[in-house]
Amino acid sequence: MTSDATHDRIAEAFARVPRDPFLPVAERQNSSDNVPLPIGRGQTNSQPSTVADMLRLLDPQPGETVLDLGSGSGWSSMLLAALVGPAGRVLGVERHPELVESSRTAIEAVIAESADQETLAEVGIHAAIPGALGLPAEAPFDRILVSAGTETLPDQLVDQLALGATMVIPVAGEMLRVVRGGPGSDGLTITRHGRYRFVPLISE
């Protein structure tokens, strides 16, 4: 599914974007542990190996526009910023106001301390729109990363994919890679990539 070059790019992004600034102070001593860590409001900073798996499936390319739904701590948005580069754009969406603010602060701090700011994409963290999923007004997106689980594949998010675009999303506990415009049902090609546990995706 992914090439050695993709694995190398993901590893490089992890090396560039530390996890600890995106964690509560009390959890930073655990930043190197390969486990999900609490960030408040019942949410977690996902297990690093899970984030890496999802990013490999998503395979974001330089210059692309990416929606990071359920951006939480902001770590995944910052990793995406390193992957799509200065010609790209990352839009995170988070439903908890406290996490919107803390993730913005962490992102600003990491960018300010980066020795190569010019190689990072613009990152914006947006408060979730009540009753909606994603950012329909900003669509279409080249890639959509969803870090919350749902029982069925949301049409609202499929509609925000550009033709040929990819979404990675946990559905009914299983990680799906969805490509719009493929030969599958309803113009979608869907492949399945193992079972994972996530907090639920909510649009209220």
Side-chain angles (χ1 to χ4, degrees):
M1 176 61 68
T2 56
S3 67
D4 289 343
T6 298
H7 283 258
D8 290 346
R9 291 180 64 241
I10 302 303
E12 182 180 344
F14 270 75
R16 289 186 60 191
V17 181
R19 187 188 191 194
D20 53 292
F22 297 93
L23 297 171
V25 172
E27 293 294 338
R28 291 181 182 177
Q29 62 183 345
N30 304 317
S31 64
S32 62
D33 295 346
N34 188 34
V35 295
L37 295 172
I39 56 174
R41 305 297 298 178
Q43 307 301 299
T44 62
N45 176 289
S46 295
Q47 185 171 337
S49 60
T50 298
V51 177
D53 289 346
M54 294 178 76
L55 290 176
R56 290 185 187 111
L57 290 172
L58 192 68
D59 195 20
Q61 297 298 308
E64 291 185 332
T65 298
V66 184
L67 174 67
D68 184 18
L69 182 56
S71 53
S73 68
W75 186 43
S76 56
S77 295
M78 201 68 237
L79 288 165
L80 287 164
L83 289 163
V84 301
R89 188 174 175 224
V90 179
L91 295 89
V93 177
E94 173 53 50
R95 61 184 291 266
H96 295 288
E98 300 94 331
L99 296 180
V100 171
E101 292 306 315
S102 62
S103 62
R104 286 174 177 168
T105 299
I107 287 169
E108 289 171 4
V110 169
I111 291 175
E113 293 174 7
S114 174
D116 48 4
Q117 299 176 18
E118 70 281 356
T119 66
L120 298 169
E122 171 192 350
V123 183
I125 303 296
H126 300 256
I129 302 167
L133 290 175
L135 291 173
E138 299 288 344
F141 298 99
D142 301 305
R143 312 278 165 164
I144 298 179
L145 180 69
V146 184
S147 297
T150 181
E151 288 305 308
T152 59
L153 184 62
D155 290 339
Q156 280 191 68
L157 294 180
V158 171
D159 290 344
Q160 292 173 52
L161 286 168
L163 187 63
T166 299
M167 173 166 59
V168 172
I169 178 172
V171 176
E174 192 170 23
M175 194 66 69
L176 303 186
R177 184 177 190 266
V178 181
V179 180
R180 187 175 190 182
S185 174
D186 298 322
L188 301 177
T189 298
I190 300 175
T191 52
R192 303 171 186 277
H193 301 274
R195 301 196 67 80
Y196 294 81
R197 293 184 65 183
F198 279 86
V199 296
L201 182 63
I202 297 173
S203 60
E204 65 184 21

